[in-house]
Each structure stands twice: as C-alpha cells, then as structure tokens.
Amino acid sequence: MKKKLLLTLALSLTVTLAACGMTPEEIDTVLTNIETTYQSGAYDEAKTAVEELDKSYDKMSEEQKSKYDNLSSSVEYAVTSISAINEGLEKAQSYYDQKMYYEASAELGNLTSAYTLPPAEQAKYDEKKSAVDAAIAQWKITETLNNVEATLNGGDYNAASDALSAIDTSSLTEEQSQKYQSLQSGIATKKAEAEAAAKAKAAVYDVDVLSQRLGTRQVYLYEEGGPLYGKYEQCEKVNTDSEYGVKYGDLTVLGSRALDGDIVQFSTTNPKTFRKNGVSLDKSYNELVTILGEPELGGPEQGIYWYTFVCDGYSLSFKFNDPAKAPYEVIVHY
C-alpha cells in the first residue's frame, strides 16, 4: 500500500511537470514511473499519467515515443480488460476452494485464451495455476490408489501391482504414502496366498513309485494317465549339456543321452510335491533324518547344504539354503 501511494505521488508530480513542459530527462523519469506503476497493477493511475504525458509527445525522442506507444497500448488494454480478468481469476479461485480442480483448470485455460494477462495478473495466474495443477496431480494419485484398492479387492492382484508401480511416489502425501504401503502389503499377501493355494493343489508323487520308473522311457502322470514325454504341448522342455527332459508343473524329469534316453532323475523345487510312505518331504534336515535315517553323503557345498539318503534301489538328495528349514529342491535319482 505504501509503495502504491509513493507511485501515485510520483505520478502526480509528473502531471504537474507535464503541464509546465518537460525536459528529455524528465520524460524518461515519467516513462519509468508509468512502467513501474503498470507493472504493479495500478492501471488507472498509469492511464492518467499516460494521458498527461501525451501533451509532451512532440518533445520526445523516437526511442521515447516508441516506449510511450508500447506503454500506452499496454495500459489501455489492462484498463479495459482488468475487470473480466479479475472475474476469471476469482471464479477459478472459487472452484479451487470448492475442490473443483478440473473446473478451476478449465477456467484458467479460458482466461489465457481470451486475454493477454498484464504482469501483476500473470503472477496471480501463475500462482493459481501451480496450485491447481498440484491439486489435480494429488487427486489423480488418490484416484489411482482407490482404483488399485478396488482392483485388489476384486482379486486381480497382478493388475493392482502394475497400477501401483506406475505411481510417482516422490510427491505422495503422508496419508497417500500410508495407503500406498498398505496396498503393497495387501498385494504381497494376496500373491503369497495364491502361490500357497497353487502349491496346495499341485500333484503329489510318491518317491517309491517314481523310483520304479527310473530307467524307463515313459513316465505316467497319475492325474493324466498318459506318458509325460508325449505331452510336450503341456510341458516346458529342459536341456542341459548332457541331459534332456521336460518340466510339468512342479515335476522335472531328466534323461541322459549316455543311457540312450533312460530316465535318470525326478526333481522338484516344491518339496510338498514328493512324499514317502504318505509323509511329505517338506521337512528340515533333522526331521528328514528321523524319517530316512542318516544320510550317506552331505554337508555344506559352495554356500548350500546337500544331503543324499540311500533308499531301496534309488537315492534321495536334498538341497538346503538353511538345514533348519525345508529344502529348496528334492531329487529322486539312481
């Protein structure tokens, strides 16, 4: 307010000077004051000064005339359009206060399409536009989080995971961050439950029965009743340097070229797939010793634990990351 008063007083002085005739230096001063007043948004005062300075137009240099003409045009445009511009800014602010962010954004867009904003109003516009854009960005994040929650509750945890990973976490509010973390946890839980359910439904094979198939060219799946090697369209091919075979679900069957295609081992990375005498081999090392006796071979090997138990006509090998927990692979082999 004090600044505006000083500008008004300065312009009043220029009016007096204009009436008395002005030197080129005084004209420069007045032009600078008009520009400052225009920049501050005091358009009526700037217009009055422009009209008074017009009386000294003939005394201006070409450079001063050019500056005067530009200022005169800008001031006139501001005076005639300021009412509508302020109305648009106020309307956008009203929408923003009501959390109608898209409507506020549309109003600001209409404003810049219809008018060239003077500096003071441009600053107000920039501030409002920044606030509206930030609010819309936050609204979109909240909307996405709600959609992820609905998708997860609908059972599609993969789609929920993809949508959640696409969110830019750098601008989350504390509340959004908490919900984001909660959804991450919920998705992980649903995935784990689905994987556990899939494993629970997986076929179970008795290792004594499987061992009878070692050294033959065909293996029959109990639930299918057909040779495994004849079902390549349902299996994943397995190839190593010296062996070939197939993978069906949790069961992997390998054969050796040296043995002319004979089956040499069955393996699984889901220990619940294999049972012996009706007991699951999903056990710790000590529990397996109780069931199978002491291992023939075993111990730590290159950061893992490998134990082999000899059975009637075949052997069982177990690979552990931690012997106190279930093995990560069980192998039935010669």
XYZ file of all heavy atoms in Angstrom, residues 157 189-203 250 270 272:
138
model
N -4.675 -59.223 -8.360
C -3.533 -58.599 -7.688
C -2.415 -58.246 -8.664
O -1.612 -57.342 -8.404
C -3.005 -59.488 -6.562
C -2.581 -60.867 -6.980
C -1.341 -61.101 -7.549
C -3.424 -61.958 -6.788
C -0.949 -62.361 -7.930
C -3.043 -63.230 -7.167
C -1.812 -63.432 -7.730
O -1.427 -64.688 -8.109
N 0.538 -60.044 0.129
C -0.214 -61.090 0.853
C -1.062 -61.913 -0.105
O -1.087 -63.143 -0.030
C -1.108 -60.443 1.920
O -0.291 -59.753 2.869
C -1.926 -61.501 2.650
N -1.750 -61.229 -1.027
C -2.593 -61.932 -1.991
C -1.755 -62.834 -2.896
O -2.168 -63.957 -3.216
C -3.366 -60.927 -2.838
C -4.449 -60.162 -2.080
C -5.583 -61.079 -1.664
C -6.708 -60.287 -0.989
N -7.797 -61.177 -0.516
N -0.589 -62.347 -3.320
C 0.288 -63.163 -4.153
C 0.751 -64.400 -3.402
O 0.759 -65.513 -3.947
C 1.504 -62.338 -4.602
C 1.220 -61.352 -5.718
C 2.498 -60.675 -6.170
C 2.241 -59.747 -7.355
N 3.483 -59.075 -7.819
N 1.151 -64.191 -2.156
C 1.618 -65.321 -1.347
C 0.499 -66.338 -1.139
O 0.722 -67.553 -1.198
C 2.136 -64.813 0.003
N -0.717 -65.839 -0.895
C -1.859 -66.733 -0.707
C -2.138 -67.529 -1.978
O -2.443 -68.724 -1.923
C -3.092 -65.928 -0.300
C -3.006 -65.358 1.112
C -4.182 -64.445 1.436
O -4.962 -64.136 0.503
O -4.310 -64.049 2.606
N -2.054 -66.841 -3.128
C -2.316 -67.518 -4.403
C -1.258 -68.579 -4.685
O -1.571 -69.682 -5.147
C -2.354 -66.498 -5.535
N 0.006 -68.237 -4.413
C 1.086 -69.195 -4.629
C 0.943 -70.391 -3.697
O 1.158 -71.543 -4.109
C 2.436 -68.516 -4.414
C 2.791 -67.516 -5.507
C 4.032 -66.709 -5.183
O 4.616 -66.939 -4.092
O 4.422 -65.856 -6.003
N 0.560 -70.118 -2.448
C 0.366 -71.208 -1.492
C -0.791 -72.107 -1.920
O -0.725 -73.334 -1.813
C 0.099 -70.638 -0.093
N -1.858 -71.478 -2.426
C -3.015 -72.253 -2.884
C -2.648 -73.109 -4.086
O -3.085 -74.264 -4.200
C -4.163 -71.306 -3.232
N -1.832 -72.529 -4.986
C -1.417 -73.282 -6.171
C -0.556 -74.478 -5.780
O -0.715 -75.580 -6.325
C -0.652 -72.369 -7.117
N 0.334 -74.252 -4.823
C 1.165 -75.357 -4.358
C 0.338 -76.425 -3.652
O 0.599 -77.619 -3.763
C 2.265 -74.842 -3.430
C 3.384 -74.106 -4.149
C 4.513 -73.750 -3.202
C 5.661 -73.089 -3.967
N 6.798 -72.756 -3.081
N -0.676 -75.968 -2.911
C -1.535 -76.916 -2.198
C -2.298 -77.809 -3.174
O -2.610 -78.958 -2.875
C -2.508 -76.165 -1.300
N -2.592 -77.256 -4.373
C -3.340 -78.015 -5.374
C -2.423 -78.838 -6.286
O -2.907 -79.587 -7.124
C -4.165 -77.056 -6.240
C -5.296 -76.370 -5.490
C -6.064 -75.434 -6.411
C -7.189 -74.728 -5.660
N -7.921 -73.789 -6.541
N -1.108 -78.657 -6.125
C -0.169 -79.333 -7.018
C -0.245 -80.843 -6.820
O -0.566 -81.343 -5.744
C 1.249 -78.846 -6.739
N 0.065 -81.571 -7.889
C 0.062 -83.029 -7.814
C 1.112 -83.505 -6.811
O 2.158 -82.891 -6.645
C 0.348 -83.603 -9.190
N 5.270 -78.802 -10.995
C 6.407 -78.804 -10.075
C 7.371 -79.951 -10.344
O 8.412 -80.045 -9.706
C 5.907 -78.906 -8.626
C 5.258 -77.625 -8.138
O 5.736 -76.558 -8.520
O 4.267 -77.701 -7.388
N 9.432 -77.722 -5.210
C 8.358 -77.635 -4.208
C 8.364 -78.955 -3.443
O 7.785 -79.947 -3.899
C 7.006 -77.409 -4.870
C 5.859 -77.439 -3.865
O 6.083 -77.338 -2.665
N 4.643 -77.574 -4.363
N 6.746 -80.198 -1.195
C 5.448 -80.799 -0.910
C 4.986 -81.715 -2.040
O 4.043 -82.487 -1.873
C 4.409 -79.694 -0.673
C 4.644 -78.901 0.593
C 3.572 -77.836 0.787
C 3.822 -77.049 2.064
N 2.809 -75.989 2.278
